[in-house]
Amino acid sequence: MSDNTIYRLIEPYQYEQEIKKSIFLAHAVPVASEEQAQEWLQKLRVPEATHNCWAYRIGQKYRSDDDGEPSGTAGRPILQIIEKQNFDQVLILVIRWFGGIKLGAGGLIRAYGGTAAECLRQAPRAEYIPQKTASILCSFSDHALLKARIVEYDAQIISEEFGAEVEMKITVPEDTYVALYDRVLDLTRGQAVIIEDG
């Protein structure tokens, strides 16, 4: 396992622990967009709990929230754990039910960060391989050949539409996209058109 391997969650996971009579419940959820992160927060948030603190990382987008805890004692430590354990496309919500004993700033940082860290450590994970989505427009005569060859680049066909020409919507690992692009143009003598999504 190299230090620069990035991970994603395979499925949602939760972990609970008690610290000085306060209950800390962490939910770790795979998310692909900020909208999805907000939807999960609405679904998992417990309004009657004392605090619902969270952080997420989706590519270059990062956000965190202390939800009433002293600034920097909850959301930021959760985000640091996501970064430290090399996760992407993940939301972690740590819910706290106050048990009557104040933890102090250092105690809060350890409690929120520690609960998030243990949750991620135990959660089922897979290596995260960034993907690009693109559409290949080609003639019917080139379709079968391209379809057979793009799998060599770990490309997956999402959909195919047949009209005046064939449009194949694909996802491909980012690091093989340029090689695939060149190969498609080579195989079709420059006749195919590749449109990168987004």
Side-chain angles (χ1 to χ4, degrees), residues 22 77 100 112 116 143 148 155 157 171 180 186:
S22 280
Y112 281 101
H143 175 244
I157 298 172
T171 61
L180 171 75
D186 184 43

Short mmCIF file of all heavy atoms in Angstrom, two decimals, residues 22 77 100 112 116 143 148 155 157 171 180 186:
data_model
loop_
_atom_site.label_atom_id
_atom_site.label_comp_id
_atom_site.label_asym_id
_atom_site.label_seq_id
_atom_site.Cartn_x
_atom_site.Cartn_y
_atom_site.Cartn_z
N SER A 22 -20.55 11.22 27.13
CA SER A 22 -21.12 11.70 25.88
C SER A 22 -21.05 10.56 24.86
O SER A 22 -20.08 9.81 24.81
CB SER A 22 -20.33 12.89 25.32
OG SER A 22 -20.69 14.08 25.97
N PRO A 77 -11.24 18.78 12.61
CA PRO A 77 -10.58 17.49 12.92
C PRO A 77 -11.14 16.32 12.09
O PRO A 77 -10.39 15.43 11.71
CB PRO A 77 -10.86 17.29 14.41
CG PRO A 77 -11.10 18.65 14.95
CD PRO A 77 -11.73 19.43 13.83
N GLY A 100 -22.97 15.57 30.02
CA GLY A 100 -22.84 16.33 31.26
C GLY A 100 -21.43 16.68 31.66
O GLY A 100 -21.22 17.49 32.56
N TYR A 112 -13.94 14.01 18.42
CA TYR A 112 -14.49 14.03 17.06
C TYR A 112 -13.53 13.39 16.06
O TYR A 112 -13.93 12.56 15.24
CB TYR A 112 -14.83 15.47 16.63
CG TYR A 112 -16.13 15.96 17.22
CD1 TYR A 112 -16.15 16.80 18.32
CD2 TYR A 112 -17.35 15.55 16.68
CE1 TYR A 112 -17.34 17.24 18.88
CE2 TYR A 112 -18.55 15.98 17.23
CZ TYR A 112 -18.55 16.83 18.33
OH TYR A 112 -19.74 17.25 18.86
N ALA A 116 -14.22 9.75 14.12
CA ALA A 116 -14.18 9.72 12.65
C ALA A 116 -13.09 8.77 12.16
O ALA A 116 -13.30 7.99 11.22
CB ALA A 116 -13.93 11.13 12.10
N HIS A 143 -18.00 1.00 -35.48
CA HIS A 143 -18.58 0.75 -34.16
C HIS A 143 -18.08 -0.54 -33.51
O HIS A 143 -17.59 -0.54 -32.38
CB HIS A 143 -20.11 0.76 -34.25
CG HIS A 143 -20.78 0.38 -32.97
ND1 HIS A 143 -21.55 -0.74 -32.84
CD2 HIS A 143 -20.78 0.99 -31.76
CE1 HIS A 143 -22.00 -0.82 -31.59
NE2 HIS A 143 -21.55 0.22 -30.92
N ALA A 148 -14.77 -3.24 -29.41
CA ALA A 148 -13.87 -4.32 -29.02
C ALA A 148 -12.55 -3.79 -28.45
O ALA A 148 -11.98 -4.38 -27.53
CB ALA A 148 -13.59 -5.22 -30.23
N ALA A 155 -12.12 1.02 -20.33
CA ALA A 155 -13.29 1.87 -20.56
C ALA A 155 -14.56 1.05 -20.38
O ALA A 155 -14.59 -0.13 -20.72
CB ALA A 155 -13.24 2.47 -21.96
N ILE A 157 -18.72 1.06 -21.22
CA ILE A 157 -19.76 1.70 -22.02
C ILE A 157 -20.99 1.91 -21.13
O ILE A 157 -21.52 0.96 -20.55
CB ILE A 157 -20.12 0.86 -23.26
CG1 ILE A 157 -18.90 0.74 -24.17
CG2 ILE A 157 -21.31 1.48 -24.00
CD1 ILE A 157 -19.06 -0.22 -25.32
N THR A 171 -17.07 5.70 -19.67
CA THR A 171 -16.21 6.22 -18.61
C THR A 171 -14.88 5.48 -18.76
O THR A 171 -14.85 4.31 -19.14
CB THR A 171 -16.76 5.96 -17.18
OG1 THR A 171 -16.87 4.57 -16.97
CG2 THR A 171 -18.09 6.64 -16.96
N LEU A 180 -6.40 6.34 -24.94
CA LEU A 180 -7.65 5.89 -25.58
C LEU A 180 -8.05 6.85 -26.70
O LEU A 180 -8.40 6.42 -27.80
CB LEU A 180 -8.78 5.80 -24.54
CG LEU A 180 -10.18 5.55 -25.12
CD1 LEU A 180 -10.33 4.11 -25.56
CD2 LEU A 180 -11.25 5.91 -24.12
N ASP A 186 -6.82 6.91 -34.28
CA ASP A 186 -5.96 6.06 -35.11
C ASP A 186 -6.79 4.97 -35.80
O ASP A 186 -6.70 4.77 -37.01
CB ASP A 186 -4.87 5.45 -34.24
CG ASP A 186 -3.88 4.62 -35.04
OD1 ASP A 186 -3.47 5.08 -36.13
OD2 ASP A 186 -3.53 3.52 -34.57
#
